[in-house]
Amino acid sequence: MILVSALLWCGAFGTAAGAGDEPYLPGQRPVADPSARALSAHAIYPAAPATAGESAPFGGNAVFLPHPVYPDAPTAEGPFPLVVLSHGMYGHRYNQTWLAEALAKKGVIAVAANHPGTTTLSREKDLSRQVDERVRDIGRMIDAVLADEVLGPMVDETRIAAIGHSLGGLTVLAAAGARMDEAAYTAFCADHPDTIGCKSVAQLGVVPGKADWARLSADLHEPRLSGVVALDPGGTVVLSEDGLGEVRAPVLLMVAGRTPELVDRRFESDRIAPLIPAALLDRRLMESAGHFDFLGKCTPVGLQILREEEPEDAVVCDLGQAERARVHAEALAAIAGFLGLPAAR
C-alpha cells in the first residue's frame, strides 16, 4: 500500500519530462479496430509544430464548437502515454474532444470510440444492455492503437490510463477492477427504485434474472491500466461493496455538485467512494460544475437550438461558454496532476 500511495502522490503516470510547457499540436487520425466489434474510433496525438501543416475543425456541430486539429500530421518524437476516453450513455466519441486536444498538447495520445448500443445513433437493446462489452472496449482501443502503424510505436506501454464520463465513468471503474453484482444491484434498486442510476440501468435493458448478468459480473479488469479517471460517474448502482474493493488501479473520482437531478452523488460517487481502497482514491468535488460540463463548449446558438428542438436537453448548454471553460480548466488541472502531466497554462 505504501508503494501505491506514492504512485498516487506522483501521478498515475509518474512525472512527465519537460513539465511546464505544451510544445505539441493536436494531430488527428482515424484508428481501425481489428476486433469483431469494429469500433469507430479516432486518436488525437502529439504532433511536431514544425511539420503539422494546416489545422481543420473537428468534432463540432450546430450545438458544440469544433476543435482545431492537424489531420495526419507527422508525430512528435515519443514515446508518449496513452489515454482511452469512454463517452456517456447515448453520447459519442466526440464528447470529450476538448480533453483529447488538451492532453495531446501536453504529450498524450488520446483515443476515443463509439460504444455500440449506447451512442447517439445506436441504441439497439441487444447491444445497449451489454455493459460488459463497453468495458472490454477499453482493451480493444488499446489494442487498436498499439496495432496502428503510426501510433503504435509512439506509445509508452507502461503509461496507459482511461477516462470516462457518466456511464463511461462506470466503464473505466470496471476496467480498473470494480465488479458488477446482480444481487447488490437488485437490493439497492428495491430500496431506491426512483434513483436516476436504477432507471438508467433499466433503460439500457439490464434486467435482474437475465442471463446477461453472468457476463456483467465477470472480472473485466484491464491489467494494462495504470490509472483511471471517472468524471461524474453514473450507473454505479451495479457495483457492489465487495466489487468496489476489487479496484486495482489508482482512481481520480471527479464529482459534479450542481445537477443532482441528473446524477445524484448521494447514490453514485458518495456511495462508491468509501468502498474503493483508500490508498487508490483521489476524490474531487466540483461543487459548481454540472454533469454536462464535462462535454465540449456549446456554440453561441447551441442553447437556443436545444430550447427549440430538444427542450429537455437545454441543461446541456445552460451556463454558457465562460463557465464551461472554467470547469474544463479545473478538470484538466486535476487530471494533469493525477497523470503527472505538465500543469495547465
Side-chain angles (χ1 to χ4, degrees), residues 276-325:
I276 297 172
L280 293 173
L281 180 65
D282 181 356
R283 182 180 184 272
R284 309 288 182 93
L285 173 59
M286 301 173 67
E287 194 67 61
S288 64
H291 183 67
F292 290 119
D293 285 333
F294 296 108
L295 302 183
K297 294 179 186 175
C298 296
T299 66
V301 297
L303 178 59
Q304 186 61 33
I305 289 173
L306 291 179
R307 283 175 172 168
E308 293 176 357
E309 299 182 10
E310 301 287 346
E312 291 184 357
D313 292 337
V315 64
V316 170
C317 296
D318 61 351
L319 292 188
Q321 293 182 4
E323 177 60 16
R324 185 147 300 178

Side-chain angles (χ1 to χ4, degrees), residues 3 45 47 77 82-83 115 122 136 182 205 217 240 252 285 326 337-338 341:
L3 175 60
Y45 59 88
E77 185 176 352
L82 171 63
V83 165
H115 294 290
S122 172
R136 294 186 177 93
E182 179 179 8
S217 58
S240 68
L252 173 59
L285 173 59
R326 186 198 66 76
F338 178 73
L341 302 176

Side-chain angles (χ1 to χ4, degrees), residues 28 45-46 62 70-71 77 93 106 116 127 131 142 150-151 187 243 256 265 279 297 309 342:
Q28 182 271 322
Y45 59 88
Y70 295 79
E77 185 176 352
R93 61 189 171 110
K106 293 179 179 295
L127 293 173
V131 179
I142 295 172
V150 173
L151 300 177
R265 71 175 193 254
K297 294 179 186 175
E309 299 182 10

Side-chain angles (χ1 to χ4, degrees), residues 87-327:
H87 64 74
M89 182 172 171
Y90 304 144
H92 50 72
R93 61 189 171 110
Y94 303 105
N95 282 164
Q96 276 72 52
T97 300
W98 68 271
L99 181 56
E101 177 198 5
L103 291 174
K105 290 179 178 179
K106 293 179 179 295
V108 174
I109 302 165
V111 59
N114 287 333
H115 294 290
T118 53
T119 70
T120 305
L121 300 178
S122 172
R123 305 188 182 193
E124 302 90 339
K125 278 288 187 274
D126 285 345
L127 293 173
S128 64
R129 68 173 184 266
Q130 297 176 19
V131 179
D132 56 307
E133 292 297 340
R134 283 184 60 105
V135 184
R136 294 186 177 93
D137 286 343
I138 302 297
R140 292 182 179 110
M141 283 188 265
I142 295 172
D143 291 339
V145 171
L146 294 180
D148 187 276
E149 62 180 2
V150 173
L151 300 177
M154 295 175 63
V155 176
D156 181 346
E157 296 186 40
T158 69
R159 303 166 74 195
I160 299 176
I163 301 176
H165 172 238
S166 194
L167 185 62
L170 166 65
T171 301
V172 302
L173 287 169
R179 300 284 290 269
M180 293 181 260
D181 181 82
E182 179 179 8
Y185 165 68
T186 302
F188 179 87
C189 292
D191 292 336
H192 307 89
D194 295 325
T195 61
I196 296 298
C198 293
K199 289 182 176 180
S200 296
V201 173
Q203 186 178 356
L204 292 172
V206 179
V207 179
K210 297 291 185 180
D212 295 335
W213 269 104
R215 297 196 320 271
L216 296 180
S217 58
D219 182 358
L220 301 171
H221 174 233
E222 170 49 68
R224 292 172 290 186
L225 293 177
S226 57
V228 303
V229 181
L231 304 173
D232 209 31
T236 61
V237 293
V238 300
L239 301 175
S240 68
E241 179 174 351
D242 290 342
L244 285 157
E246 293 293 320
V247 168
R248 281 164 268 179
V251 174
L252 173 59
L253 182 61
M254 304 197 69
V255 186
R258 184 171 59 83
T259 48
E261 72 280 7
L262 298 174
V263 172
D264 192 330
R265 71 175 193 254
R266 294 176 301 166
F267 304 115
E268 299 280 359
S269 57
D270 286 359
R271 183 186 75 86
I272 67 174
L275 304 176
I276 297 172
L280 293 173
L281 180 65
D282 181 356
R283 182 180 184 272
R284 309 288 182 93
L285 173 59
M286 301 173 67
E287 194 67 61
S288 64
H291 183 67
F292 290 119
D293 285 333
F294 296 108
L295 302 183
K297 294 179 186 175
C298 296
T299 66
V301 297
L303 178 59
Q304 186 61 33
I305 289 173
L306 291 179
R307 283 175 172 168
E308 293 176 357
E309 299 182 10
E310 301 287 346
E312 291 184 357
D313 292 337
V315 64
V316 170
C317 296
D318 61 351
L319 292 188
Q321 293 182 4
E323 177 60 16
R324 185 147 300 178
R326 186 198 66 76
V327 172

